[in-house]
Amino acid sequence: MAHCVTSVQLSISCDHLIDKDVGSKSDPLCVLLQDVGGGNWAELCRTERVRNCSSPEFSRSLPIDYHFETVQKLRFGVYDIDNKTPELGDDDFLGGAECTLGQDFLGKSDPFLEFYRQGDGKWHLVYRSEVIKNNLNPTWSRFSVPLQRFCEGDSSLPIQVRCSDYDSDGSHDLIGSFQTNLTQLQGTPVEFDCIHPEKQQKKKSYKNSGIIRVKVCQIEAEFSFLDYVMGGCQISFTVGMDFTGSNGDPSSPDSLHYLSPSGVNEYLTALWSVGCVVQDYDTDKLFPAFGFGAQVPPDWQVSHEFALNFNSSNPYCSGIQGIVDAYRQALPQVRLYGPTNFAPIINHVARFATQAAQQGTALQYFVLLLLTDGAVSDIEATKEAVVWASHLPMSIIIVGVGGADFTAMVELDGDGGPLRARSGETVARDVVQFVPFRQFQNAPREALAQAVLAEVPRQLVSYYKAKGLAPHKAPVIPAKDPAPTPKN
């Protein structure tokens, strides 16, 4: 059987060897041994001895036959040679390393980048990239850093970029570095020689240890939620309430829809907690409110999208109190039934959000609050609706009322990974926030509002940023505002 054998020349260099000689540096030599089995090692070859040097770069390479089909275990030993005998037992051992030929010498680097800015006579780390495993031609992901952190808003401030080879024990090896500034980086595409200073000093023929190419670098305004609100963006708040039979007979104290002597229940408490915060961001305070899962008069057909005020042409209620009043009036007029379908109301709001999206302005964002007692029945249709909503100026808040199994709600929330519709399409962004009400039952009212509304500002900003839409009345950004970010 023929075997593929290739002769390999190993070039050896060392850094910062210990000094064993008194009054001078060591005189190192490197010996190469190979595992021949049974715990025995056989010497293959040696480098020359370099006199009085703690960081030698040996000129004599070490030849070895490389066999692809076998694991070749190698051992490198470095000795301080102070006599003329060929034996190494009477020489000082300075250190060594073991590896396999295929893994360590024919492998590739695991490079990553670090960006430092100069300040107070020091270099301060501002960004570290991901590690690209086993790759000599890596492409790192784009990243964003606040301008103030990146260069203190000064485009001429020196920036040092270091490229290193990752090691799991933290002893990363420098591949090379270069200095630049934001002005140079913005002249993209631009290339920089990656220089290892010690290699440059040792070899006159040394050019670089590679080239770093910066494909794009730009300053972008990073608008906040408040910027959009101050720019005229209105939050259109819609409520959907669960009237399915699993809530229990509203006349029974065990029902989640039972109104206590004070006129409240879990549904209304949750509505007040969330609604009182959201209503401040809508100037007209007119909110459409719907019920789902009930038989409604006059034909007693099951409806998954009926107006709480029974006026389908004008389902708007005046303020949160108007929603509460409509709910109290509707409760005795409907028959709780089922199933629990979310898709109709989500799609209803999505149609309005689609119209707003077509305007190409950051003036209207929709928040749908769904109050429900149990698992969603039309899960696949709901996933499709959520995926559609993720492309629109829209967020969905689900508050679970009662103590039912809310596993499906957690799935919609996307905590286990991006939500995927049956078609295979995933959500464009996270738009669903689910919170079980009873976790906050004994907490202050504002605690629930904080939990369910915490994601809305981020979701709003992420939508308008993805669409490239600035606030309608964009605030003036000073030259050194920390919000803009360079992208490399």
Side-chain angles (χ1 to χ4, degrees):
M1 180 181 293
H3 296 282
C4 180
V5 178
T6 303
S7 180
V8 175
Q9 301 288 328
L10 303 180
S11 298
I12 308 298
S13 64
C14 305
D15 285 322
H16 306 297
L17 295 175
I18 59 176
D19 295 327
K20 288 287 188 176
D21 293 342
V22 178
S24 67
K25 299 182 183 298
S26 297
D27 303 322
L29 169 150
C30 180
V31 60
L32 172 62
L33 304 97
Q34 182 168 352
D35 183 5
V36 293
N40 298 314
W41 294 83
E43 180 178 335
L44 297 182
C45 48
R46 301 182 182 188
T47 67
E48 79 280 13
R49 180 180 64 159
V50 178
R51 293 181 179 274
N52 198 30
C53 182
S54 59
S55 297
E57 186 163 350
F58 300 101
S59 61
R60 183 185 300 167
S61 59
L62 304 180
I64 182 174
D65 288 338
Y66 168 61
H67 298 264
F68 171 78
E69 71 280 2
T70 61
V71 176
Q72 295 171 263
K73 294 182 180 180
L74 305 181
R75 175 182 289 175
F76 296 86
V78 180
Y79 294 83
D80 177 20
I81 307 299
D82 288 323
N83 55 57
K84 296 183 179 180
T85 64
E87 291 78 15
L88 298 174
D90 55 355
D91 297 302
D92 292 322
F93 179 66
L94 301 181
E98 293 184 11
C99 63
T100 63
L101 180 59
Q103 175 185 354
D104 286 308
F105 282 94
L106 300 182
K108 299 178 181 178
S109 298
D110 302 322
F112 66 95
L113 297 177
E114 292 176 310
F115 287 73
Y116 294 81
R117 65 170 168 81
Q118 194 176 65
D120 302 324
K122 300 178 181 178
W123 290 104
H124 302 274
L125 180 65
V126 296
Y127 175 76
R128 179 180 289 118
S129 77
E130 75 277 20
V131 176
I132 306 295
K133 290 287 188 178
N134 199 34
N135 197 323
L136 295 179
N137 294 286
T139 298
W140 289 281
S141 302
R142 294 182 62 169
F143 65 91
S144 297
V145 178
L147 187 64
Q148 190 70 18
R149 174 173 169 78
F150 189 73
C151 62
E152 297 182 347
D154 182 355
S155 60
S156 64
L157 188 74
I159 300 294
Q160 185 182 85
V161 183
R162 301 177 189 173
C163 181
S164 300
D165 181 13
Y166 174 83
D167 284 318
S168 59
D169 63 1
S171 59
H172 313 307
D173 298 316
L174 178 68
I175 295 175
S177 65
F178 63 89
Q179 284 193 28
T180 182
N181 56 44
L182 180 58
T183 299
Q184 291 180 342
L185 291 172
Q186 286 182 286
T188 54
V190 62
E191 295 183 350
F192 299 92
D193 286 329
C194 200
I195 302 297
H196 192 294
E198 293 184 5
K199 292 183 179 180
Q200 186 181 46
Q201 188 176 9
K202 289 181 179 180
K203 287 187 177 181
K204 292 183 179 180
S205 60
Y206 175 82
K207 292 184 178 180
N208 58 54
S209 295
I211 295 175
I212 301 293
R213 296 182 178 90
V214 181
K215 296 180 179 179
V216 61
C217 176
Q218 59 193 36
I219 297 178
E220 291 184 350
E222 189 77 17
F223 298 111
S224 68
F225 173 72
L226 188 58
D227 289 332
Y228 284 103
V229 171
M230 297 299 291
C233 185
Q234 295 287 302
I235 306 294
S236 296
F237 185 52
T238 302
V239 175
M241 303 187 77
D242 185 340
F243 285 86
T244 56
S246 55
N247 285 278
D249 185 351
S251 63
S252 170
D254 296 331
S255 172
L256 294 171
H257 280 297
Y258 176 75
L259 293 174
S260 68
S262 59
V264 298
N265 56 28
E266 287 190 28
Y267 277 94
L268 291 182
T269 302
L271 173 63
W272 272 113
S273 299
V274 179
C276 285
V277 175
V278 176
Q279 70 176 354
D280 289 339
Y281 296 95
D282 192 319
T283 54
D284 63 15
K285 303 293 190 294
L286 294 175
F287 308 118
F290 301 91
F292 59 91
Q295 293 176 323
V296 297
D299 55 10
W300 302 108
Q301 295 294 311
V302 175
S303 175
H304 300 292
E305 186 189 344
F306 65 91
L308 277 186
N309 61 7
F310 296 110
N311 186 346
S312 58
S313 62
N314 185 17
Y316 295 89
C317 300
S318 180
I320 302 303
Q321 184 60 56
I323 300 177
V324 172
D325 293 340
Y327 166 77
R328 288 173 173 162
Q329 294 173 17
L331 193 58
Q333 298 184 57
V334 300
R335 298 172 184 167
L336 274 61
Y337 206 74
T340 307
N341 290 353
F342 286 176
I345 290 183
I346 295 176
N347 289 331
H348 175 96
V349 178
R351 286 190 288 272
F352 285 90
T354 298
Q355 295 176 7
Q358 292 171 349
Q359 301 301 313
T361 60
L363 287 176
Q364 195 171 22
Y365 193 86
F366 294 80
V367 174
L368 170 61
L369 172 63
L370 290 174
L371 303 170
T372 183
D373 81 313
V376 58
S377 303
D378 61 340
I379 184 65
E380 293 302 330
T382 296
K383 288 180 181 179
E384 294 282 354
V386 170
V387 168
W388 181 25
S390 71
H391 294 276
L392 302 171
M394 179 176 171
S395 292
I396 303 168
I397 298 169
I398 304 174
V399 177
V401 178
D405 178 12
F406 293 117
T407 303
M409 307 305 173
V410 176
E411 182 183 4
L412 292 177
D413 197 315
D415 289 342
L419 184 70
R420 186 184 301 272
R422 179 179 291 175
S423 63
E425 183 181 4
T426 58
V427 289
R429 59 193 181 92
D430 179 20
V431 294
V432 177
Q433 176 75 353
F434 168 74
V435 174
F437 174 79
R438 290 196 175 177
Q439 287 186 2
F440 300 86
Q441 199 166 20
N442 299 318
R445 175 184 293 179
E446 59 269 18
L448 175 65
Q450 290 172 356
V452 300
L453 295 175
E455 296 294 318
V456 170
R458 181 187 62 80
Q459 292 169 355
L460 181 148
V461 170
S462 71
Y463 172 79
Y464 289 126
K465 181 178 180 179
K467 296 298 181 182
L469 296 176
H472 190 59
K473 301 174 183 176
V476 176
I477 302 176
K480 292 189 177 183
D481 190 280
T485 58
K487 286 191 173 181
N488 296 273

